[in-house]
Amino acid sequence: MHGPARSRFAWCLTGSGHGLHEALALAERLPQVDLFLSAAAEEVLGIYEIPLERLKTRFRVLRDKTASAVPVGQLYTEVYHTVVVAPATSNTVAKCAYGFSDTLPTNMFAQAGKLGIPGIVYACDTEPVVVTRAPHDWVTLRPRRIELDNVERLRGIDFCDVVESIERLEQALDARLKALSMSWRTA
């Protein structure tokens, strides 16, 4: 175990580049965070020029390298008090909304819910028009009704707080810190 019971954040990265830099900046401000990467997240980190080695200097990094998502077992050792999935692709949102758990982040989300561990999901496709930074330019996306419906379905999942923006993610994290009698890192 890594410290006192329920002392850490489990932060899951998916294959989304939308808000990726901003989400990681928030994760860096939190105390005691471990990163859980999907295979797609590893690809996207490279595309957005975020070296895995740099992340390893600040976080413990767990990668999606096992068929049964072995790192999920750490949820059973009572290390984590919160699971954050940020940013979450429409694919991850759909999987979480319908109970599929075939990647490290979706497995973490599902098992956390079964254990009553609160989850926060920063869903990327939440508005009829989304302007996002692609690796080399800004693009305008128009999520389909199915993506918007899946976000609404996810809102109904137990122990899950769905947020639509970096600002709302920061607010949800702030509320979680206060509930845990913890505070943001200042250094």
Side-chain angles (χ1 to χ4, degrees), residues 3 30 66 85 93-94 125 129 140 159 187:
L30 290 172
T66 64
V85 183
V93 167
D125 292 330
V129 177
T140 300
F159 306 105

Side-chain angles (χ1 to χ4, degrees), residues 11-184:
W11 192 292
C12 303
L13 294 177
T14 72
S16 177
H18 179 71
L20 178 60
H21 287 279
E22 298 85 350
L24 283 170
L26 286 175
E28 287 178 353
R29 291 177 46 212
L30 290 172
Q32 303 177 344
V33 178
D34 295 339
L35 293 182
F36 291 78
L37 309 181
S38 70
E42 286 198 54
E43 290 176 0
V44 168
L45 288 169
I47 293 168
Y48 282 80
E49 300 178 352
I50 301 170
L52 192 55
E53 292 309 313
R54 181 181 70 82
L55 294 176
K56 288 179 179 180
T57 65
R58 166 62 179 92
F59 304 104
R60 184 168 162 244
V61 177
L62 297 104
R63 299 163 70 191
D64 203 349
K65 299 292 183 188
T66 64
S68 62
V70 170
V72 173
Q74 293 185 52
L75 286 170
Y76 307 128
T77 62
E78 299 186 354
V79 172
Y80 299 103
H81 53 67
T82 309
V83 171
V84 180
V85 183
T89 62
S90 59
N91 186 46
T92 298
V93 167
K95 288 179 178 186
C96 291
Y98 283 91
F100 291 92
S101 49
D102 62 354
T103 66
L104 187 50
T106 58
N107 249 306
M108 290 292 290
F109 177 81
Q111 294 307 310
K114 292 177 187 181
L115 292 165
I117 297 170
I120 302 169
V121 179
Y122 168 37
C124 297
D125 292 330
T126 59
E127 302 293 331
V129 177
V130 176
V131 178
T132 188
R133 182 180 0 172
H136 304 291
D137 204 358
W138 288 88
V139 296
T140 300
L141 304 175
R142 290 172 179 77
R144 303 168 299 169
R145 171 64 31 213
I146 187 80
E147 281 103 17
L148 299 172
D149 289 348
N150 286 339
V151 170
E152 290 310 309
R153 182 176 179 88
L154 184 61
R155 289 183 198 284
I157 300 293
D158 298 336
F159 306 105
C160 177
D161 183 11
V162 178
V163 299
E164 317 77 22
S165 68
I166 289 295
E167 294 76 21
R168 276 283 300 120
L169 177 59
E170 185 173 18
Q171 291 168 2
L173 291 168
D174 191 56
R176 188 70 186 127
L177 285 168
K178 286 178 180 159
L180 295 164
S181 298
M182 297 174 77
S183 59
W184 295 95

